[in-house]
Amino acid sequence: MSIMTYLGAIGAAQREALTADERVVLIGEDVEANVYGTTGGTGKSRAAEGDFLQTFGRNRIRNTPISEESIVGAAAGAAMTGLRPIVDLSYSSFLYMAMDQFVNQVAKNRYMFGGQASMPVVFRSAMFYGLNTGAHHSDRPYPMFMNVPGLKIIAPASPSDAKGLLRSAIDSDDPVLSFEACPLWGMKEEVQDDEYFIPLGVGRTLREGSDVTIVAISGGVIEATAAADALAAEGVTAEVFDPRTLVPLDVDGIIKAVEKTGRLVIVDPAHRTCGAAAEVSALVAEHAFSSLKAPIVRLTAPDMQIPFSPALEKQMYPKRDGIAAAVRTMLGLAGAAA
Amino acid sequence: MSNELETKTLLEMQRRMLRIRYFDERASKMLKRGLIPGALHTSIGQEAQVVGACMALGDADYMTGNHRSHGHPIGKGSPLGPLMAELVGKATGICKGKGGSLHLADFSLGSLGESGIVGGNIPIALGAGLSSKVLGNDRVVLSFFGDGAANQGSLYESMNMAGVWKLPVVFLCENNHYALSTPAHTVTSGRIVDRAAGFGIPGVRVENGQNVLAVYEAVRDAVDRARRGEGPTLIEVMTYRFREHSEGLKLGVDYRDADEKEQWLQRDPIAIMREWLIAEGWATADELDALDNEVLDEVEAAYQFADSSPYPDASVAFEDLYTEVAGAGR
Ligand SMILES: Cc1ncc(C[n+]2csc(CCOP(=O)(O)OP(=O)(O)O)c2C)c(N)n1
Ligand SMILES: [Mg+2]
């Protein structure tokens, strides 16, 4: 075990995969210089030695031009013909440049061609929200991609999940989009140094409780656990469940967690309409309606663009205080209004 | 130059052009009779451009194409039965009935798929070139697209990347002078072939795209160059489609000039090759008539195969999205 940051764990998973399999290549803008901190030796800038370029060579570590459409399509074509590319798209707001490739090629080719193609490729991107980067860099776009059959989606919320899920993603013969939350970049914890694989479609329970269930996604997970800890001090116990991957989604895990308490709060930093929280809510209404003691509550970003000023942006995503307050209101506890 | 080609190769070119012609003619009739659902774009008139290019490839080489889709896999040597069955939507279709006319693919022959999105799969060809280079497996990629697609940004991103990485990709623009009803010159600034220069890669225009040997020679040179590790080439082949953009399409106005059309119809690539084969002593008229009949029989057999095949079970619609059944979801 060693202490790793979220970002360090992503780098470790990539290094493992590149070492384990010659067919794994890494392409993206500025990956050679390790600008985003996941393709280096250690740390965020270019290491004196041991960075990916030095270790794996220019054939497998490739800087690309700023051409997202062709980067994504080329990764798909390479995956269909024997490579296992990892694509670093840097900011998730840039995925839209390649929407045609994601939706019409990456997601459809295997199906359209009757299973002749397989598409072992991972598209990584960072959601730079909460960092005052304004509307063009703050997206949390995973719900759009949940609406595209054929893609798999992971949203790790801790360093150890980041490492284990990314390894499984690279190992998958299907296309996987990894949405990484920048507010978690500096998060540290003990992470296994050995290779390990966390299966896609299996969530995890972070807190056990009997009063309310909080299903939290991506950067919402640390806020949910903090809220649960604050509530515990007041004698309210919350079950906190992180599905970890959005496609496939651990529906059974979510249903079990909700049935345990009969109350559900969903925490999701993405937009509200047709979002991940909406999907979780619908699934619970379909499969666990009879166990519900109260209406489902969704805590999401509003259907609003993200403003630049810190004074404006800070209110846009669900935070621990708001989550705790929502739980108190749901339970009809005194002081809920405060 | 063509003297070095064996008779066999020359006759194989003619055979593949005939396959495309008779396959597409048959498919068109089937569409009219309601036997083929959906949209259908023929390569009739463009057979030389397709076959000349495909014949310059080896069996292991890759190819991608567009909505004008049947000719490409046929040109690469794909058997006709599963292609015809695919058009009809049968279980024995090359894509199990899930692709249809616009999305044929035969991975066993390096045909990585046709695309219904104009310009959408040019980057796929780029990626196949990248894998060839990284894996060092010597394969070349041929990317077919139209004059319409030549105005998509995907082409220029891909030519740039293929150029800078020296990938073994041949970008082949099938300039049939129209994108649906739109004359290329009204939407295209400058010549398509000249755009290669901007990327520092060779651009070659085949003025006589109705001559299969002219196309073959240009593409062969580009393939050789790619295989030597010298990178991509853009080839613009001047040609013409003899029929409507898609079968059954009826537009109130004729956007193509009658004289222009008549002149091009006189330049039938199959007739041109036939005359040449006879004049140069590569084959007799009788031999070529026999070849005609052989191919007609092949198309008939493909039709019978498609016709007698069952439709896929409804459950097939729910297969092949992922390589494995997705996780714990309901
Ligand atoms: C992205 C996209 N835009 C528009 C269309 C509709 N469309 C299909 S074929 C076509 C014309 C394409 O012309 P060209 O690339 O020259 O190929 P051709 O049909 O002449 O072989 C159009 C506009 C499409 N399928 N995809
Ligand atoms: Mg055209």
Side-chain angles (χ1 to χ4, degrees):
Chain A
M1 301 284 263
S2 40
I3 302 276
M4 283 187 205
T5 61
Y6 184 87
L7 212 50
I10 291 166
Q14 296 191 143
R15 180 182 294 279
E16 270 180 22
L18 282 156
T19 306
D21 189 341
E22 287 273 317
R23 297 169 301 172
V24 176
V25 297
L26 197 151
I27 66 173
E29 293 155 26
D30 302 300
V31 296
E32 289 185 7
N34 187 29
V35 167
Y36 296 101
T38 59
T39 55
T42 49
K44 198 173 174 322
S45 55
R46 186 154 192 178
E49 57 183 36
D51 70 14
F52 282 20
L53 185 58
Q54 290 157 335
T55 310
F56 303 107
R58 211 172 280 282
N59 201 31
R60 295 174 68 202
I61 308 297
R62 284 176 183 258
N63 263 2
T64 61
I66 304 166
S67 305
E68 283 78 10
E69 181 177 7
S70 282
I71 294 169
V72 170
M80 287 160 64
T81 54
L83 291 182
R84 307 185 72 86
I86 304 171
V87 184
D88 188 334
L89 286 161
S90 66
Y91 292 68
S92 54
S93 303
F94 310 154
L95 268 62
Y96 309 132
M97 296 295 294
M99 215 58 185
D100 172 53
Q101 294 300 315
F102 279 119
V103 178
N104 279 320
Q105 302 290 335
V106 174
K108 291 180 184 169
N109 277 0
R110 177 178 174 76
Y111 183 84
M112 277 194 321
F113 303 145
Q116 293 184 78
S118 65
M119 194 69 82
V121 53
V122 176
F123 298 98
R124 291 187 39 241
S125 68
M127 303 183 288
F128 271 70
Y129 68 99
L131 301 170
N132 314 125
T133 54
H136 274 175
H137 289 76
S138 302
D139 295 66
R140 294 90 46 233
Y142 45 82
M144 291 187 191
F145 294 93
M146 290 172 71
N147 204 249
V148 182
L151 305 176
K152 292 179 173 177
I153 299 175
I154 65 174
S158 73
S160 45
D161 280 359
K163 182 161 176 263
L165 286 174
L166 189 53
R167 276 304 297 221
S168 296
I170 300 166
D171 234 45
S172 166
D173 284 331
D174 299 313
V176 183
L177 275 60
S178 176
F179 288 96
E180 297 154 10
C182 290
L184 303 179
W185 268 6
M187 182 182 185
K188 283 183 187 156
E189 67 180 6
E190 292 264 1
V191 176
Q192 266 184 66
D193 294 310
D194 307 345
E195 285 191 331
Y196 61 93
F197 297 81
I198 297 173
L200 272 51
V202 181
R204 66 170 176 154
T205 303
L206 287 101
R207 296 285 186 277
E208 304 252 10
S210 55
D211 296 316
V212 62
T213 298
I214 307 176
V215 171
I217 293 160
S218 182
V221 176
I222 43 166
E223 299 300 327
T225 51
D229 294 345
L231 289 165
E234 301 165 22
V236 173
T237 63
E239 177 95 357
V240 179
F241 187 80
D242 170 10
R244 303 199 283 196
T245 69
L246 297 165
V247 182
L249 184 63
D250 186 354
V251 180
D252 287 334
I254 291 169
I255 299 302
K256 278 195 194 106
V258 173
E259 282 171 346
K260 215 173 146 185
T261 69
R263 293 184 184 87
L264 174 61
V265 173
I266 310 163
V267 179
D268 176 10
H271 290 140
R272 191 171 183 83
T273 299
C274 300
E279 182 60 24
V280 170
S281 171
L283 285 163
V284 169
E286 279 174 348
H287 298 297
F289 186 74
S290 57
S291 71
L292 289 177
K293 298 173 193 160
I296 296 166
V297 171
R298 281 184 290 161
L299 301 175
T300 67
D303 289 332
M304 187 54 62
Q305 297 301 350
I306 300 301
F308 157 68
S309 169
L312 299 174
E313 190 186 5
K314 66 180 181 203
Q315 63 187 327
M316 303 307 279
Y317 320 104
K319 291 276 167 48
R320 56 198 67 188
D321 292 349
I323 299 166
V327 170
R328 288 188 204 103
T329 304
M330 190 179 225
L331 293 169
L333 295 176
Chain B
M1 182 83 72
S2 46
N3 289 353
E4 65 197 53
L5 293 172
E6 312 253 333
T7 315
K8 234 173 90 186
T9 312
L10 294 169
L11 290 179
E12 183 62 19
M13 287 181 178
Q14 184 73 342
R15 177 190 299 276
R16 292 191 192 185
M17 290 202 292
L18 287 166
R19 277 189 187 142
I20 295 173
R21 173 72 50 96
Y22 294 147
F23 181 95
D24 270 353
E25 283 180 352
R26 188 63 181 259
S28 168
K29 285 197 192 108
M30 289 165 68
L31 187 95
K32 268 198 205 88
R33 288 175 49 207
L35 297 175
I36 293 176
L40 195 136
H41 308 76
T42 74
S43 297
I44 293 172
Q46 299 182 214
E47 292 92 345
Q49 163 257 302
V50 175
V51 170
C54 288
M55 291 289 291
L57 296 176
D59 283 347
D61 290 331
Y62 295 121
M63 184 193 79
T64 64
N66 62 359
H67 56 282
R68 198 164 303 289
S69 51
H70 318 151
H72 303 140
I74 295 174
K76 192 81 167 55
S78 194
L80 302 185
L83 298 179
M84 190 66 93
E86 186 62 31
L87 302 196
V88 182
K90 294 296 184 79
T92 54
I94 188 75
C95 302
K96 303 184 196 165
K98 291 196 271 200
S101 165
L102 274 78
H103 308 116
L104 299 176
D106 185 349
F107 276 55
S108 70
L109 282 164
S111 151
L112 302 176
E114 308 289 308
S115 173
I117 306 296
V118 169
N121 74 347
I122 298 171
I124 299 288
L126 173 74
L130 176 62
S131 83
S132 168
K133 174 132 188 174
V134 172
L135 297 169
N137 62 21
D138 222 33
R139 295 181 178 194
V140 172
V141 192
L142 173 64
S143 169
F144 284 114
F145 56 88
D147 50 285
N151 289 324
Q152 286 282 28
S154 60
L155 175 61
Y156 302 102
E157 289 189 2
S158 294
M159 289 209 308
N160 178 55
M161 260 195 257
V164 77
W165 286 344
K166 291 217 178 322
L167 300 184
V169 181
V170 178
F171 296 98
L172 191 142
C173 179
E174 313 176 307
N175 188 342
N176 60 10
H177 296 80
Y178 292 85
L180 217 164
S181 69
T182 304
H185 71 89
T186 64
V187 290
T188 309
S189 188
R191 301 195 316 163
I192 292 166
V193 65
D194 293 338
R195 297 175 181 186
F199 299 96
I201 69 174
V204 178
R205 197 185 216 196
V206 181
E207 298 292 349
N208 189 1
Q210 304 306 87
N211 182 326
V212 67
L213 297 173
V215 179
Y216 172 85
E217 282 162 14
V219 178
R220 183 202 52 202
D221 290 349
V223 168
D224 286 350
R225 184 184 135 83
R227 233 187 282 284
R228 288 195 304 269
E230 292 168 28
T233 302
L234 172 65
I235 298 178
E236 180 182 13
V237 182
M238 308 312 283
T239 184
Y240 205 76
R241 65 172 152 73
F242 284 5
R243 302 176 70 105
E244 195 30 286
H245 169 73
S246 58
E247 294 305 287
L249 183 70
K250 286 194 179 63
L251 299 174
V253 284
D254 198 351
Y255 51 87
R256 298 199 292 188
D257 180 74
D259 285 348
E260 169 196 283
K261 207 160 148 187
E262 195 41 45
Q263 277 178 26
W264 276 99
L265 288 174
Q266 296 309 315
R267 299 174 60 199
D268 181 326
I270 293 174
I272 290 170
M273 183 62 169
R274 182 185 164 99
E275 265 172 44
W276 184 86
L277 285 168
I278 294 170
E280 298 290 315
W282 293 103
T284 64
D286 284 350
E287 284 165 344
L288 292 172
D289 289 344
L291 183 63
D292 248 45
N293 286 328
E294 265 178 57
V295 175
L296 281 169
D297 287 349
E298 249 186 277
V299 170
E300 174 63 22
Y303 166 77
Q304 295 297 342
F305 174 77
D307 190 51
S308 63
S309 292
Y311 282 104
D313 191 80
S315 64
V316 171
F318 301 93
E319 293 167 1
D320 295 322
L321 186 62
Y322 299 101
T323 55
E324 49 190 334
V325 179
R330 286 183 194 224

